[in-house]
Amino acid sequence: MITIDTRTSTDRPVTTVPAAPDPSLEASVREVWTEVLGIPDIDATTPFFEAGGNSLTAMRVVGRLHARHGTMSLRAFMSHPTIAGLARVLAGAAAPAGAAAAPAPPAAASPVSGAAARYPLSRAQRQMWEIANRLPEVGLFIVASALRVDGPLDLAVLERVFAELVTRHEALRTRFEDVGEGPVQVVEPHVEVTVEVEDHTADRDPVRSCERRMAVAGREALPLDRAPLMRVVVHRIAADRHVFFLSMHHIVCDGQSLTLLESEAIRLYREIAANGARTPRPVPLGSGRLAEQRAEWLTTGAAARQRAFWLDRLAPPFSRLADGPGSRFAELGTASFARRMRSAATSAKLSADDARTVSAAAHRHGMTDFMLVLGAYAATLRAWSGQSDIRVATNLANRAAPGMDEVVGLLTNTTVLRMSLTDTDPVAVSRQAREVCIDAFENQELPFEEVLAALQDRHPGAGAVFDAMLVAQNEIDAVTPADGLVFAPYQSDRNVLGAQVVATACDFVLTVVTVEGELRFELRYKSATTSEGLAAELLDAITTAVRATAAALIEAA
C-alpha cells in the first residue's frame, strides 16, 4: 500500500511567517531573483512563475537562498513564491538547531596546469562506460543539438570560441582510460577541437542534405579514449545561412550542459566578434573534482536521510503498466534486448493559446507547468493500464547549489515520481503531482544508481522501478543583435536530432518543450514492441488530458 501525503500547502505548515517583511531580507531575495532570472526591478508581490521562472530556476533560487541564509526549502518557496513572501519566510524561520551548515558553493577550478589530472568515475559514468565498451560501434549515449545561424558567420571566430570553451570546461578535455583496476577519467591540460564544415549549397535540396548528415552524426559513436568527446560541425546551406551542429557523449555532458554550451558559444561569439577578445569570467568547477566531492557527500548524514526517503517512497511491489485488468499496454509485443533499444517517435503540440491556459491554470494553484503535465500524463497511464500505482521517472538538472549552473558535465539525476491514483479527479491528481514533485525535488541529490543499489540490497528481484519517463527541456531563445547575425534553435518536422537508439528499459519517454509559445510534445517509444498507431493514440490521449486538466484547474480556482 502506497501512502503519499497529498495535502496542499494550505494544509501543511511550513513555518511561521511574520506579517511585515524585513527590508534587508527582501533586498537579498530580490538580488537572488535578479541573478537567476536576469530581470532587474521585480515587484515584491509578483509571483515567481509570472516573472519568467520555471522549475529549474526555482531550484536555483532555493539553493542560493539556502546558501546565503542557512534555510529555505522548495516547499516554502512554492507556498510563498514572491519576493515579499520569501523575505517573510526567511524572517520567521531560523536554521534548525544543530543542523549542518548549508553546502558551500563549489570552489572555482584551478588554473589549467601542464599535467593531466585523473579522477574516479561516478556510478552513472561507470555504467555508461561498461555498456559503451561492450558496444563500441553503437552511438548509445550521444546527445545532440543544433542552432540555425542566419547572417554573416565568421568561421575563424567560431574556432576561437570553441578553443575558449575547451579551456574553460574540464569536461571538454576529458577522456576515459582503463588502468587495469577499472576506468578513470583523465582531464588533459590542452585539447585541440576541430570545427568541421560541410557545404551543401550545390546539393539539390541543401536543407534535406544537412538534416540527413545531422541524423547520421547523431548516431555515430564517439571513442571514449580520445578527447574531446565532442563533434562540432557547421553546415552551409547558403552564403549567409548555416546550421551549427553539436554532439557530445553523455558520459561528460547532460541536456543542461548542452544548452549551457550553446548559450556560452553565442555569448563568446558576440564578444570576440565585437571586441577581439572574451570578457573574463571565473572558471567553473571541473567535472572531475565535482565527482570527487559528490562521492564524499555520499558518506554524510544528508545522503543517509535521502536514502531512507527513497527506500520508503519506492518500496515494492512494482506493478507493470501491462499487468492491469484490461490494460491497453497488454498489446505491447516482446523483442530481444538489442531490438528493444531502438526507438521511434511521434509528436504533437498545443497552440500558444492552449499553452498560456496551461501556465495560467498551473500558476493559480501554486504549481509549475511540469507538475500539471505530470498529473495529466499519470492520469492517462492509469486510464490505459487500470493500475493506480503510477511511477514516472524524470531527469532533474541537479544544479541547485550556487555556481553549479555553469558546470558542464554529467550532473543530471534521475528521480521517480510515484503517484497513487485512487481519485482520478483532475484537480486532485494535479495536487498530488505537485506534492510528489516537491518531495522528490527536495531529495534529488542522491544519485539514482545509489537508490537502485539500496533497493536491490533490501528487495532483491523487485523488478522495474518505472515504466515511463517525462522530460522537460528548456529551449534556447533566438538571439537577434544589431549586427544582423541571428542564432535560433533549429526546428525540423523530421525529428533529425532524436536518438534512434535509446539506452533505457522503459517503454515510453514523453518530452515537453516550449517553442515560440507553443507546447510541443514528443513521445518516444520502442518500435519493436509498440505500433506507431498505438503510440500516436496514446500521445493524443495525453495532450487531451493536459487540456482537460488545465480547464478543470481554472474552473476550480
Side-chain angles (χ1 to χ4, degrees), residues 319-322 377 391-393 464-469 505-508:
S319 58
R320 301 298 303 271
L321 292 176
Y377 187 26
R391 304 176 311 281
V392 177
V465 181
F466 61 91
D467 290 318
M469 290 191 72
C506 76
D507 292 305
F508 302 102

Side-chain angles (χ1 to χ4, degrees), residues 86-274:
L86 294 178
R88 288 193 292 267
V89 168
L90 291 171
S110 302
V112 176
S113 66
R118 285 171 165 75
Y119 298 98
L121 277 64
S122 68
R123 194 188 286 261
Q125 287 178 312
R126 179 64 179 258
Q127 291 180 354
M128 285 188 191
W129 182 86
E130 290 174 349
I131 294 173
N133 272 274
R134 291 196 201 106
L135 302 167
E137 304 302 321
V138 181
L140 275 178
F141 300 107
I142 304 302
V143 290
S145 185
L147 295 175
R148 189 188 82 241
V149 187
D150 296 333
L153 179 65
D154 189 328
L155 292 174
V157 172
L158 192 61
E159 289 175 343
R160 287 186 59 189
V161 165
F162 274 89
E164 293 283 358
L165 289 174
V166 166
T167 299
R168 178 173 171 78
H169 295 290
E170 280 189 0
L172 305 187
R173 306 193 309 275
T174 297
R175 62 181 178 84
F176 292 79
E177 181 179 296
D178 191 346
V179 294
E181 297 178 354
V184 295
Q185 49 183 320
V186 181
V187 179
E188 298 289 357
H190 303 286
V191 166
E192 296 291 330
V193 60
T194 300
V195 177
E196 305 173 45
V197 179
E198 296 190 12
D199 194 332
H200 304 283
T201 55
D203 297 341
R204 177 179 298 178
D205 187 340
V207 172
R208 188 62 180 267
S209 296
C210 166
E211 292 187 345
R212 188 180 299 114
R213 291 293 299 140
M214 289 195 296
V216 170
R219 299 193 297 270
E220 290 178 343
L222 294 170
L224 291 176
D225 60 351
R226 295 198 295 272
L229 295 175
M230 173 178 67
R231 187 178 180 193
V232 184
V233 185
V234 172
H235 295 272
R236 182 176 290 119
I237 306 300
D240 284 345
R241 186 181 175 199
H242 299 79
V243 176
F244 162 54
F245 173 83
L246 176 64
S247 63
M248 293 189 65
H249 201 292
H250 194 14
I251 201 168
V252 294
C253 177
D254 53 25
Q256 183 64 23
S257 297
L258 203 62
T259 301
L260 170 64
L261 285 173
E262 289 181 329
S263 298
E264 285 196 357
I266 294 171
R267 173 180 55 77
L268 285 169
Y269 187 97
R270 300 289 180 218
E271 293 173 354
I272 295 172

